[in-house]
Amino acid sequence: MERSHSDLAAAVFTALLSIAVIAPTEAAARTANIWFSVHATYCENSTCEPVTLQISAGDNFIISKWGNHRETIRIVNIDAPNHRARCVGERESAERATVRLGQLLTGSTFTTARVSTDRRGNSIAFVSINRRDLGHQLAREQLVWPWEPKHRPWC
């Protein structure tokens, strides 16, 4: 029985994710550190290059480009649940959003449209995969909320 390329990629991604998810070592720990890398193609100004993306939350990732260039991107139009939440429901939602962001970006060709920077110098941007807005996709799947000026609690 032959497996398709996408089936094989999904199986490899799932296996790597199970290794990359590090559970809290103590019952008192309030967060799980989710940090994994995926490969994609980043296009900017009519040129594209392979990049490695480090995913640690459902609304941001770090682009690592050739020449040791790193840039943190925060997706502008969404509000994702936080891994450091007080309730289990938000932590579980944060994990689902993070995993899905990684799945959508794995092997993709994506672009960004920077809007501004935050106080830490991270880029705040719209992210598109195949001309489709990534934030809208995550919101449609009800993994994140569309961004609003007033933060809604997840718990």
Side-chain angles (χ1 to χ4, degrees):
M1 181 167 123
E2 287 189 30
R3 294 181 105 180
S4 71
H5 179 67
S6 62
D7 288 342
L8 183 58
V12 170
F13 179 79
T14 302
L16 289 174
L17 182 60
S18 67
I19 294 168
V21 175
I22 303 166
T25 56
E26 302 174 12
R30 296 174 70 173
T31 64
N33 297 320
I34 299 174
W35 190 274
F36 57 95
S37 296
V38 299
H39 297 286
T41 302
Y42 176 60
C43 297
E44 183 175 38
N45 299 328
S46 301
T47 59
C48 298
E49 65 180 301
V51 295
T52 300
L53 306 174
Q54 294 173 326
I55 315 288
S56 63
D59 61 357
N60 67 65
F61 55 91
I62 299 171
I63 301 173
S64 297
K65 299 181 193 178
W66 182 260
N68 204 25
H69 175 78
R70 294 169 50 96
E71 178 182 9
T72 300
I73 302 289
R74 160 86 164 78
I75 302 172
V76 70
N77 55 341
I78 60 173
D79 180 21
N82 192 324
H83 292 287
R84 293 178 298 232
R86 293 182 185 168
C87 71
V88 172
E90 182 173 359
R91 286 193 300 268
E92 289 172 351
S93 295
E95 185 174 326
R96 282 192 300 276
T98 303
V99 168
R100 184 62 177 144
L101 178 62
Q103 289 172 339
L104 291 169
L105 287 168
T106 298
S108 71
T109 298
F110 72 98
T111 60
T112 60
R114 289 169 189 80
V115 175
S116 64
T117 56
D118 65 15
R119 65 182 181 270
R120 286 171 262 168
N122 301 326
S123 294
I124 300 173
F126 288 96
V127 179
S128 297
I129 297 175
N130 300 326
R131 299 183 185 168
R132 294 189 137 166
D133 186 277
L134 183 57
H136 285 245
Q137 174 72 30
L138 291 167
R140 272 194 308 275
E141 293 180 17
Q142 299 180 345
L143 297 167
V144 301
W145 286 326
W147 188 86
E148 296 175 350
K150 184 176 182 195
H151 175 74
R152 290 190 274 174
W154 288 88
C155 298

